[in-house]
Amino acid sequence: MPSYDSPLPTPSPRFLVSDLLETLETYLSAEQQRAVYSAYLFAAEAHDGQWRQSGEAYIFHPLAVAKILADMRLDYQTLMAALLHDVIEDTPTAKEQLAQQFGPEVAHLVDGVSKLDKVKFSSRAESEASNFQKMFLAMAQDIRVILVKLADRLHNMRTLSAMKPASARRKAHETLEIYAPIAQRLGIACLHWELEHWCFLTLYPWRYQIINRAIRRTQMQRTERIQQIISLIQQRLQAHDLPALVTLESLRVFAVYRKAHLQMDTLHTSLNQIELKIVVKSRQLGDCYRAIGILHASYKPIPGHLKDYIAIPKTNGYQALHTLLACSEKLNILARIQNSEMEQVAQMGIAAHWCYNMPIHPSGHTSYYRAEKWINGLLELQKNIGDSQEFIENVKMDLFPDEVYVVTPKGEIITLPRGATPVDLAYAIHTDIGNTCIGAKVDNRRVHLLKPLLNGQSVQILTDPKARPSPDWLNFVVTGKARTQIKLYFKNTPKLDQGNLAQVSLHPTSLAIKSTDGLAVSFAACCHPIPDDAIAGIFSPGLGMVVHLANCPHLLASPQCWPMEWSSTTQTEFPVEIWVKVEEKLGVLALVSAAIAEQQCNIEQILIEMQPDNTRLLKLVISVRNRLHLADVLREIKTLAAVKSVSRSNTNLLPTLATPYKPQRARPRRLPHPL
Ligand code: MN
């Protein structure tokens, strides 16, 4: 595996069969080496005359895949399958032939990574999902299938530059969505990081260059300083009879990007944090805790960052103690303390079972056992789903069971239950942040407050000191803390009655509509408020905030209402009802419509009522941008000779209080996005 202490290898290191054999000699028996070599000969013959898009002979691809797995010291059958992995799909070889020649296990592994016949599918999505499902089923029988698949994908990612840009991007997307997370879920850090690396480089080449350059520059500047820190830590541990190997973990471009999400100031904050891996030689768990004590005596720990993943391993089996140390004003050290066994699992995950002959503990502490449980759980689920596309969606969801980890702009990782929204996160950070949150940026893009957060996203909560929680949030928050705090807020906030409404409307504490991002807002059909009207909202369960004119009788009848303001950036058109009294004359409706169209205005509804005095009343719902626009329309209509009067409906006839209020009549409508 490439070392991350140096820049990554050139995109396509070409491995020869001699390179592979050299690696095999280090850990396989002579007989096993011979078996691998015979698989190589078979594959070379089968692929003879085939070429990759890069222009090299096809066999170099399976060779490279086998070399990736040999470097992970996987067993000889996996390596044979790696060499043969494309012969069923791309050559006339049948599974039975492989089974006869190399045994049923190798044949099963090869078949598991082979795609189904393309002819069967109507769309690419369907074929991709079906192939994935097939591979997943094969993997449940033998988990080594996924190791071959991941190594295959890794080599394809390394050689992506030979592909057309559109296909390269599609592959990178797929890898980032499913294969990199699977590698992570199985704990195989080396594969996971390199897959992410190539995805990021393919999808965002410029961002990659900028961050990479910044990383190299900072690293060069502080080489000496870090050497001093490393030897100091090593000496202190040694002095306490705790020999340990301390190494600097190289900053990974994608990890920095995710954390800094491209804001230069936070990019520097994340560059100011280095990661040290401290592997204590002792196998006693207690010694990891002792080591952390010694570190805390040497550097000041930053409160809130001590994580005990030894007692509570991560879902993929990862174990370590984490602590953040303040070294100087511009340098923090994230120290990860492990013993050598934990370090092996952290690097190799399920592959550690072969790589280091690690036993499988049914106690559930190895990644292998955890992975098996995960796969079996998904298979259970699969029984109830016939559709392969639904299955792949489920796998994506389940790649991070139970919890999501999100990153705050300060680099803090916060764990939330699955389904948690930005509002949950805001309350998890601090009640005041929750109470004043108005929106969120996920990976630097604005999202609605009710959008569930996903694993690994960096989330920034936007607040406005004038904002306040919305009762509607109770419909979607999932954490107890958010729920309790929102309820508490409304319990402690005095209800507004009509008497102080006017007063509050004038006060700046009013709730600006622009800050209701994420809250369902609809506009009442009884009074049709439009921008620049004085407005207030009534909260209605299921509909969210329903906005009425401030003098709408329904509002006056409601026990609790919220003063609101229009956002100055409102761009959409809003419906408003106008009444036009006209003489009964041929073509009058056409004249009125033409006048309305003249002002770039659409008619949404027309109702014509005969009046006792032989005139007609046209009740029109038109859409306008604001009051000014409406005034222009009314003026245009007034110029027509056949028009006796024109007005906005509700200025001369408001619904009476006797009419029961029906919120269903309101037109649900999302507010225009403030950004
Ligand atoms: Mn392949």
Side-chain angles (χ1 to χ4, degrees):
M1 281 288 98
S3 151
Y4 287 86
D5 296 335
S6 57
L8 280 158
T10 47
S12 176
R14 185 194 280 185
F15 298 111
L16 303 175
V17 71
S18 52
D19 297 319
L20 179 66
L21 293 174
E22 221 169 86
T23 316
L24 300 188
E25 274 170 22
T26 61
Y27 74 102
L28 291 184
S29 73
E31 198 185 329
Q32 290 172 337
Q33 290 175 45
R34 267 198 298 279
V36 176
Y37 189 67
S38 69
Y40 162 74
L41 292 178
F42 186 97
E45 203 183 313
H47 289 297
D48 188 32
Q50 293 181 344
W51 306 89
R52 293 204 98 209
Q53 268 170 12
S54 58
E56 58 185 0
Y58 198 90
I59 188 66
F60 284 115
H61 166 61
L63 254 179
V65 176
K67 179 73 167 79
I68 291 169
L69 295 167
D71 285 339
M72 293 166 71
R73 299 168 66 86
L74 283 167
D75 68 293
Y76 77 106
Q77 286 178 331
T78 309
L79 301 183
M80 288 168 78
L83 287 163
L84 296 164
H85 83 267
D86 275 332
V87 298
I88 294 185
E89 197 179 309
D90 295 337
T91 77
T93 315
K95 183 184 175 186
E96 292 69 35
Q97 193 184 345
L98 290 184
Q100 240 172 29
Q101 201 154 342
F102 302 106
E105 282 168 303
V106 174
H108 174 78
L109 293 177
V110 176
D111 186 52
V113 294
S114 299
K115 287 182 186 150
L116 296 157
D117 197 349
K118 273 195 196 105
V119 191
K120 282 168 60 183
F121 305 105
S122 53
S123 72
R124 178 184 283 145
E126 194 195 330
S127 121
E128 272 169 9
S130 301
N131 285 323
F132 179 79
Q133 191 175 20
K134 172 176 180 272
M135 185 207 69
F136 206 91
L137 291 175
M139 164 181 161
Q141 266 184 56
D142 191 333
I143 210 162
R144 293 175 297 176
V145 168
I146 188 66
L147 299 176
V148 177
K149 181 71 196 178
L150 289 173
D152 174 34
R153 182 50 67 106
L154 179 57
H155 185 247
N156 285 334
M157 293 302 293
R158 282 181 184 170
T159 51
L160 216 52
S161 54
M163 284 177 95
K164 289 197 187 103
S167 341
R169 291 179 68 83
R170 201 181 62 241
K171 272 262 178 294
H173 264 297
E174 191 193 31
T175 305
L176 201 57
E177 268 200 335
I178 193 121
Y179 292 105
I182 285 183
Q184 183 181 23
R185 186 64 181 70
L186 301 177
I188 317 171
C190 51
L191 292 182
H192 165 224
W193 292 346
E194 200 184 334
L195 285 171
E196 276 189 348
H197 161 86
W198 294 115
C199 295
F200 187 56
L201 186 61
T202 309
L203 295 171
Y204 304 104
W206 289 104
R207 298 175 199 195
Y208 181 91
Q209 299 300 350
I210 291 167
I211 298 173
N212 192 37
R213 227 172 285 152
I215 290 176
R216 303 281 159 243
R217 206 172 33 234
T218 5
Q219 272 175 348
M220 265 161 54
Q221 284 163 358
R222 55 184 180 210
T223 319
E224 211 174 304
R225 174 102 180 84
I226 289 169
Q227 266 318 315
Q228 288 168 354
I229 295 172
I230 289 178
S231 31
L232 180 105
I233 292 177
Q234 228 153 1
Q235 281 164 20
R236 294 261 167 99
L237 292 173
Q238 185 73 51
H240 287 82
D241 207 15
L242 266 178
L245 185 67
V246 184
T247 47
L248 173 70
E249 293 273 75
S250 210
L251 284 168
R252 283 175 289 120
V253 179
F254 188 50
V256 170
Y257 169 72
R258 221 176 352 213
K259 224 156 97 181
H261 50 89
L262 277 190
Q263 288 175 15
M264 287 316 275
D265 55 347
T266 48
L267 171 62
H268 286 286
T269 321
S270 27
L271 288 178
N272 287 341
Q273 182 177 311
I274 58 163
E275 242 178 88
L276 290 184
K277 184 165 77 177
I278 301 168
V279 182
V280 297
K281 298 231 166 87
S282 150
R283 291 181 79 86
Q284 305 272 333
L285 284 190
D287 284 336
C288 291
Y289 294 91
R290 266 179 64 210
I292 213 165
I294 296 162
L295 283 182
H296 285 184
S298 311
Y299 297 101
K300 209 169 158 192
I302 300 174
H305 292 270
L306 180 63
K307 302 262 159 64
D308 186 349
Y309 293 118
I310 292 181
I312 305 161
K314 287 192 184 177
T315 34
N316 61 15
Y318 173 93
Q319 286 187 296
L321 293 176
H322 286 195
T323 185
L324 191 64
L325 306 166
C327 185
S328 70
E329 210 178 295
K330 282 195 172 163
L331 192 66
N332 288 340
I333 304 170
L334 176 71
R336 295 177 6 201
I337 300 153
Q338 300 173 306
N339 64 26
S340 59
E341 194 177 325
M342 293 172 197
E343 198 244 342
Q344 290 165 354
V345 172
Q347 284 295 319
M348 290 292 165
I350 56 159
H353 165 63
W354 293 276
C355 188
Y356 303 107
N357 291 319
M358 230 171 240
I360 300 163
H361 297 299
S363 65
H365 276 292
T366 60
S367 350
Y368 186 92
Y369 184 76
R370 282 161 182 265
E372 274 205 327
K373 251 176 73 180
W374 170 62
I375 294 162
N376 289 333
L378 278 172
L379 282 184
E380 244 346 273
L381 211 90
Q382 198 261 342
K383 280 182 191 157
N384 305 318
I385 308 167
D387 184 351
S388 56
Q389 293 189 47
E390 205 180 325
F391 177 67
I392 200 170
E393 284 310 313
N394 270 300
V395 173
K396 281 183 195 170
M397 244 169 69
D398 215 88
L399 276 167
F400 307 100
D402 312 321
E403 295 169 334
V404 287
Y405 300 92
V406 294
V407 188
T408 67
K410 285 182 185 164
E412 206 182 334
I413 294 170
I414 295 187
T415 313
L416 295 164
R418 199 201 294 174
T421 62
V423 175
D424 292 290
L425 174 66
Y427 278 101
I429 298 170
H430 196 276
T431 303
D432 289 347
I433 307 262
N435 284 341
T436 56
C437 77
I438 54 163
K441 276 187 175 181
V442 168
D443 294 332
N444 220 23
R445 281 166 53 191
R446 279 296 291 257
V447 298
H448 277 295
L449 281 176
L450 50 76
K451 194 168 165 73
L453 298 171
L454 302 176
N455 223 38
Q457 287 179 328
S458 15
V459 190
Q460 185 190 3
I461 299 293
L462 309 173
T463 57
D464 180 346
K466 287 182 284 185
R468 49 172 108 186
S470 155
D472 190 47
W473 294 352
L474 291 171
N475 293 332
F476 58 78
V477 293
V478 299
T479 53
K481 180 167 185 200
R483 186 165 295 279
T484 322
Q485 291 302 329
I486 296 166
K487 283 187 179 160
L488 203 67
Y489 178 89
F490 287 106
K491 210 175 142 195
N492 296 337
T493 309
K495 283 187 180 177
L496 304 167
D497 61 26
Q498 193 48 41
N500 61 25
L501 169 66
Q503 192 192 341
V504 177
S505 301
L506 294 171
H507 209 258
T509 57
S510 60
L511 191 71
I513 284 201
K514 64 180 170 202
S515 61
T516 54
D517 193 21
L519 161 65
V521 174
S522 52
F523 294 86
C526 53
C527 54
H528 283 303
I530 58 170
D532 303 334
D533 282 337
I535 45 168
I538 303 176
F539 178 72
S540 148
L543 280 176
M545 199 61 90
V546 182
V547 182
H548 291 259
L549 284 181
N551 60 353
C552 175
H554 289 136
L555 194 74
L556 308 186
S558 167
Q560 188 181 16
C561 65
W562 303 90
M564 296 182 115
E565 281 169 9
W566 294 95
S567 154
S568 55
T569 55
T570 306
Q571 287 294 335
T572 354
E573 294 188 328
F574 292 79
V576 63
E577 189 173 344
I578 58 168
W579 289 1
V580 186
K581 207 170 174 187
V582 291
E583 286 171 11
E584 201 195 348
K585 220 170 144 185
L586 199 68
V588 67
L589 187 59
L591 288 172
V592 172
S593 327
I596 292 172
E598 186 67 40
Q599 292 298 326
Q600 270 82 47
C601 183
N602 282 323
I603 301 175
E604 297 191 358
Q605 271 176 45
I606 301 180
L607 195 82
I608 304 170
E609 279 178 10
M610 281 294 283
Q611 299 292 295
D613 59 352
N614 259 347
T615 58
R616 298 205 168 177
L617 182 64
L618 310 179
K619 293 184 171 177
L620 302 153
V621 176
I622 58 172
S623 40
V624 293
R625 290 189 299 278
N626 48 38
R627 282 173 71 109
L628 209 65
H629 190 198
L630 176 65
D632 289 341
V633 178
L634 297 182
R635 206 175 305 122
E636 188 80 34
I637 299 172
K638 232 178 194 168
T639 59
L640 300 173
V643 171
K644 288 183 151 323
S645 69
V646 54
S647 63
R648 188 173 173 180
S649 65
N650 39 35
T651 50
N652 42 16
L653 188 74
L654 282 165
T656 58
L657 280 177
T659 324
Y661 175 59
K662 285 189 195 144
Q664 323 55 299
R665 287 184 60 226
R667 256 172 72 138
R669 182 189 271 256
R670 283 255 164 237
L671 280 175
H673 208 283
L675 279 187

